Amino acid sequence: MEHFQQVEPFDYVIFGATGDLTMRKLLPALYNRLRLGQIPDDARIIGAARTELSREAYVARAREALERFLPSDVLSPGLVDRFLARLDYVTLDSSRQSEQWDSLTSLFAKAQPDRVRVFYFATAPQLYGSICENLHRYGLITANSRVVLEKPIGTDMATATAINDGVGQYFPEKQIYRIDHYLGKETVQNVLALRFANPLINAAWSAEHIESVQITAAETVGVEGRAAYYDTSGALRDMIQNHLLQVLCLVAMEAPDSLEADAVRNAKLAVLNALRPITEASAATETVRAQYTAGVIGGENVPGYLEELGTPSATETFAAVRAWVDTPRWKNVPFYIRTAKRSARKVSEIVVTFRPAATTMFGAAPASNRLVLRIQPNEGVELRLNVKNPALDVFNLHTADLDTSIRMEGGMPFPDSYERLLLDAVRGDPVLFIRRDEVEAAWRWAEPVLDAWKHNKVPMQTYSAGSYGPEQATRLLAEHGDTWHEASE
Ligand SMILES: NC(=O)C1=CN([C@@H]2O[C@H](COP(=O)(O)OP(=O)(O)OC[C@H]3O[C@@H](n4cnc5c(N)ncnc54)[C@H](OP(=O)(O)O)[C@@H]3O)[C@@H](O)[C@H]2O)C=CC1
Ligand SMILES: O=C1O[C@H](COP(=O)(O)O)[C@@H](O)[C@H](O)[C@H]1O
């Protein structure tokens, strides 16, 4: 396949190699890229975790993970064996100094010093600093090394700064890759193509023509096996501070000079810095938080969040925010951001509502044009237009949707976003990773919201599992005469 170029030989060291993320996402993603011919035969993938396992036992776990998390039509015994032959495993408490590090260093003893090394931290963020310290102590960091940091980068500004400082002591910023898997999604990257490669859209991309923007990421799942993490996080930290603000940045940013990493990141940073601060006073009118109660999804009864957790909790599973980007381009345009667990359907989308035509020639006012960028599922673009109602003799309008699916060649599903990002780190392309100042700017905006919630300035609402969220979120838009997309379908 000519669009997947083989990368240079590399060593990928995954800290947290026995964990959920590695098994569910990272190993399947790397397998897929080997299958597509992107991974050279002498690449190595080295897992590290505290659990004592032989290489064979780890390979057996990896095999099970591939079988469990990949569709059977992509698994061929020959390819699986070729992939598993690339794997190694070291038992290592990576946060401590010990002779356990010898097993890792010995794997690198004969490696070419300029061979690409990627250290992927798929473990608790509070360990990142000590893992870096040990990588340095045991002489594993080379000029051609990169470190990939999983989210969350902190739970607030102070913890984010501590993580960034801890890693930054040993790796210069250009070797640090903070992953945000939403940036690896094909249709999120498509925001750039749609905006900047289509003068028709680009010309209308401002407050002069746009009335509001909605960004939604809703899921039908609850917190699954991650309740311990989720309950310390909540919807705002889990999805909005990172993924949805990144999407907002791509929608709102000025055109970067190029697709070079720093050009794009500077443009995103400018948006984050232009976000109107939400204060303890404004949080009550600009934000909504809620927890799901028992309900029905897909015909099945599901328990409420507190029942699932088995303890009282003040963690939100739904968050909606009305954000404002205080730049001339976005003067008075509300950006509604929303995320939910146990929602009525799984959908991630951007909905841009344009101002209606100011004409009286048709009698009734024409409907607003509306552009929907479907991030998932059914990736595509939909544009609502006004056309003449063909059924009537009188000149009357109705709406018609131009709807195009964005598909891979041959109708194949899009690769999981991790696939691209894992290999971008090998190729040394950081454009789809987050720079330190972006993370911190996002916390600067999010933290006062979290503080207001902690101080109970915004009541915790409830919504039934299987619904679209609490009524208060509907009201957030109603004040501007808007409705959430599903209500206008
Ligand atoms: N799971 C997911 O879907 C997502 C996860 N993330 C992030 O990825 C990271 C990992 O998440 P997840 O896989 O779910 O977590 P898990 O708890 O499933 O896995 C944690 C991993 O870290 C290892 N580990 C813990 N302490 C040490 C140590 N001192 N030295 C070496 N290894 C250690 C554990 O193995 P052992 O006990 O054997 O040491 C295990 O392999 C977290 O930062 C999470 O927030 C981000 C997005 C999605
Ligand atoms: O980062 C996270 O994202 C997932 C949702 O990702 P998606 O690609 O399925 O939209 C979310 O379930 C998880 O809680 C969060 O940590």
Side-chain angles (χ1 to χ4, degrees), residues 372 374 378-384 400-406:
V372 181
R374 290 192 302 265
N378 188 17
E379 291 84 347
V381 181
E382 185 185 308
L383 178 63
R384 183 171 74 185
D401 287 333
L402 289 182
D403 191 337
T404 179
S405 287
I406 300 175

mmCIF file of all heavy atoms in Angstrom, residues 372 374 378-384 400-406:
data_model
loop_
_atom_site.group_PDB
_atom_site.id
_atom_site.type_symbol
_atom_site.label_atom_id
_atom_site.label_comp_id
_atom_site.label_asym_id
_atom_site.label_seq_id
_atom_site.Cartn_x
_atom_site.Cartn_y
_atom_site.Cartn_z
ATOM 1 N N VAL A 372 -22.313 19.998 9.426
ATOM 2 C CA VAL A 372 -22.028 19.011 10.476
ATOM 3 C C VAL A 372 -20.800 18.209 10.056
ATOM 4 O O VAL A 372 -20.782 17.605 8.979
ATOM 5 C CB VAL A 372 -23.225 18.040 10.680
ATOM 6 C CG1 VAL A 372 -22.914 17.030 11.790
ATOM 7 C CG2 VAL A 372 -24.491 18.815 11.001
ATOM 8 N N ARG A 374 -18.957 15.069 10.997
ATOM 9 C CA ARG A 374 -19.119 13.861 11.829
ATOM 10 C C ARG A 374 -17.749 13.233 12.085
ATOM 11 O O ARG A 374 -17.122 12.692 11.169
ATOM 12 C CB ARG A 374 -20.036 12.849 11.129
ATOM 13 C CG ARG A 374 -21.496 13.290 11.060
ATOM 14 C CD ARG A 374 -22.385 12.124 10.626
ATOM 15 N NE ARG A 374 -21.985 11.584 9.355
ATOM 16 C CZ ARG A 374 -22.513 11.933 8.178
ATOM 17 N NH1 ARG A 374 -23.483 12.830 8.121
ATOM 18 N NH2 ARG A 374 -22.080 11.380 7.061
ATOM 19 N N ASN A 378 -19.682 6.925 11.289
ATOM 20 C CA ASN A 378 -20.143 7.339 9.971
ATOM 21 C C ASN A 378 -19.490 8.656 9.573
ATOM 22 O O ASN A 378 -20.167 9.638 9.252
ATOM 23 C CB ASN A 378 -21.692 7.449 9.995
ATOM 24 C CG ASN A 378 -22.262 7.673 8.618
ATOM 25 O OD1 ASN A 378 -21.565 7.445 7.622
ATOM 26 N ND2 ASN A 378 -23.487 8.153 8.544
ATOM 27 N N GLU A 379 -18.174 8.681 9.595
ATOM 28 C CA GLU A 379 -17.397 9.892 9.354
ATOM 29 C C GLU A 379 -17.835 10.578 8.071
ATOM 30 O O GLU A 379 -17.955 9.923 7.024
ATOM 31 C CB GLU A 379 -15.902 9.538 9.237
ATOM 32 C CG GLU A 379 -15.263 9.078 10.522
ATOM 33 C CD GLU A 379 -15.449 7.594 10.840
ATOM 34 O OE1 GLU A 379 -16.290 6.943 10.184
ATOM 35 O OE2 GLU A 379 -14.773 7.095 11.744
ATOM 36 N N GLY A 380 -18.094 11.866 8.150
ATOM 37 C CA GLY A 380 -18.532 12.558 6.948
ATOM 38 C C GLY A 380 -18.866 14.013 7.209
ATOM 39 O O GLY A 380 -18.636 14.544 8.299
ATOM 40 N N VAL A 381 -19.381 14.634 6.173
ATOM 41 C CA VAL A 381 -19.719 16.055 6.230
ATOM 42 C C VAL A 381 -21.130 16.223 5.691
ATOM 43 O O VAL A 381 -21.479 15.634 4.660
ATOM 44 C CB VAL A 381 -18.750 16.876 5.344
ATOM 45 C CG1 VAL A 381 -19.081 18.355 5.435
ATOM 46 C CG2 VAL A 381 -17.312 16.632 5.729
ATOM 47 N N GLU A 382 -21.897 17.028 6.379
ATOM 48 C CA GLU A 382 -23.297 17.234 5.971
ATOM 49 C C GLU A 382 -23.535 18.743 5.942
ATOM 50 O O GLU A 382 -23.138 19.445 6.874
ATOM 51 C CB GLU A 382 -24.151 16.574 7.040
ATOM 52 C CG GLU A 382 -25.610 16.534 6.803
ATOM 53 C CD GLU A 382 -26.281 15.935 8.057
ATOM 54 O OE1 GLU A 382 -25.872 14.849 8.517
ATOM 55 O OE2 GLU A 382 -27.183 16.595 8.577
ATOM 56 N N LEU A 383 -24.165 19.217 4.874
ATOM 57 C CA LEU A 383 -24.445 20.654 4.786
ATOM 58 C C LEU A 383 -25.926 20.851 4.502
ATOM 59 O O LEU A 383 -26.449 20.329 3.510
ATOM 60 C CB LEU A 383 -23.615 21.276 3.648
ATOM 61 C CG LEU A 383 -23.835 22.755 3.394
ATOM 62 C CD1 LEU A 383 -23.433 23.605 4.606
ATOM 63 C CD2 LEU A 383 -23.043 23.213 2.163
ATOM 64 N N ARG A 384 -26.579 21.572 5.392
ATOM 65 C CA ARG A 384 -28.012 21.819 5.196
ATOM 66 C C ARG A 384 -28.192 23.088 4.374
ATOM 67 O O ARG A 384 -27.691 24.155 4.721
ATOM 68 C CB ARG A 384 -28.715 21.968 6.537
ATOM 69 C CG ARG A 384 -30.223 22.163 6.369
ATOM 70 C CD ARG A 384 -30.951 22.090 7.682
ATOM 71 N NE ARG A 384 -30.714 23.294 8.452
ATOM 72 C CZ ARG A 384 -31.152 23.472 9.696
ATOM 73 N NH1 ARG A 384 -31.808 22.514 10.321
ATOM 74 N NH2 ARG A 384 -30.921 24.592 10.339
ATOM 75 N N ALA A 400 -32.640 20.764 2.365
ATOM 76 C CA ALA A 400 -32.097 19.503 1.836
ATOM 77 C C ALA A 400 -30.662 19.389 2.340
ATOM 78 O O ALA A 400 -29.966 20.395 2.456
ATOM 79 C CB ALA A 400 -32.115 19.527 0.316
ATOM 80 N N ASP A 401 -30.258 18.175 2.667
ATOM 81 C CA ASP A 401 -28.898 17.971 3.178
ATOM 82 C C ASP A 401 -27.977 17.416 2.107
ATOM 83 O O ASP A 401 -28.288 16.393 1.495
ATOM 84 C CB ASP A 401 -28.915 16.985 4.363
ATOM 85 C CG ASP A 401 -29.487 17.627 5.609
ATOM 86 O OD1 ASP A 401 -29.377 18.863 5.738
ATOM 87 O OD2 ASP A 401 -30.047 16.893 6.455
ATOM 88 N N LEU A 402 -26.870 18.107 1.877
ATOM 89 C CA LEU A 402 -25.797 17.507 1.086
ATOM 90 C C LEU A 402 -25.002 16.669 2.075
ATOM 91 O O LEU A 402 -24.538 17.198 3.087
ATOM 92 C CB LEU A 402 -24.860 18.572 0.527
ATOM 93 C CG LEU A 402 -25.346 19.471 -0.575
ATOM 94 C CD1 LEU A 402 -24.217 20.414 -0.994
ATOM 95 C CD2 LEU A 402 -25.783 18.636 -1.763
ATOM 96 N N ASP A 403 -24.877 15.403 1.803
ATOM 97 C CA ASP A 403 -24.281 14.527 2.813
ATOM 98 C C ASP A 403 -23.248 13.639 2.146
ATOM 99 O O ASP A 403 -23.557 12.897 1.233
ATOM 100 C CB ASP A 403 -25.396 13.656 3.421
ATOM 101 C CG ASP A 403 -24.914 12.908 4.648
ATOM 102 O OD1 ASP A 403 -23.700 12.703 4.773
ATOM 103 O OD2 ASP A 403 -25.771 12.530 5.473
ATOM 104 N N THR A 404 -22.012 13.765 2.590
ATOM 105 C CA THR A 404 -20.995 12.897 2.012
ATOM 106 C C THR A 404 -20.260 12.142 3.096
ATOM 107 O O THR A 404 -19.895 12.717 4.129
ATOM 108 C CB THR A 404 -20.002 13.692 1.136
ATOM 109 O OG1 THR A 404 -19.041 12.786 0.625
ATOM 110 C CG2 THR A 404 -19.274 14.774 1.890
ATOM 111 N N SER A 405 -20.099 10.868 2.882
ATOM 112 C CA SER A 405 -19.312 10.078 3.827
ATOM 113 C C SER A 405 -17.855 10.212 3.454
ATOM 114 O O SER A 405 -17.521 10.307 2.274
ATOM 115 C CB SER A 405 -19.695 8.611 3.744
ATOM 116 O OG SER A 405 -20.949 8.442 4.325
ATOM 117 N N ILE A 406 -17.001 10.232 4.455
ATOM 118 C CA ILE A 406 -15.565 10.225 4.172
ATOM 119 C C ILE A 406 -15.098 8.818 4.478
ATOM 120 O O ILE A 406 -15.237 8.334 5.599
ATOM 121 C CB ILE A 406 -14.844 11.276 5.024
ATOM 122 C CG1 ILE A 406 -15.409 12.655 4.698
ATOM 123 C CG2 ILE A 406 -13.351 11.231 4.777
ATOM 124 C CD1 ILE A 406 -14.877 13.763 5.549
#
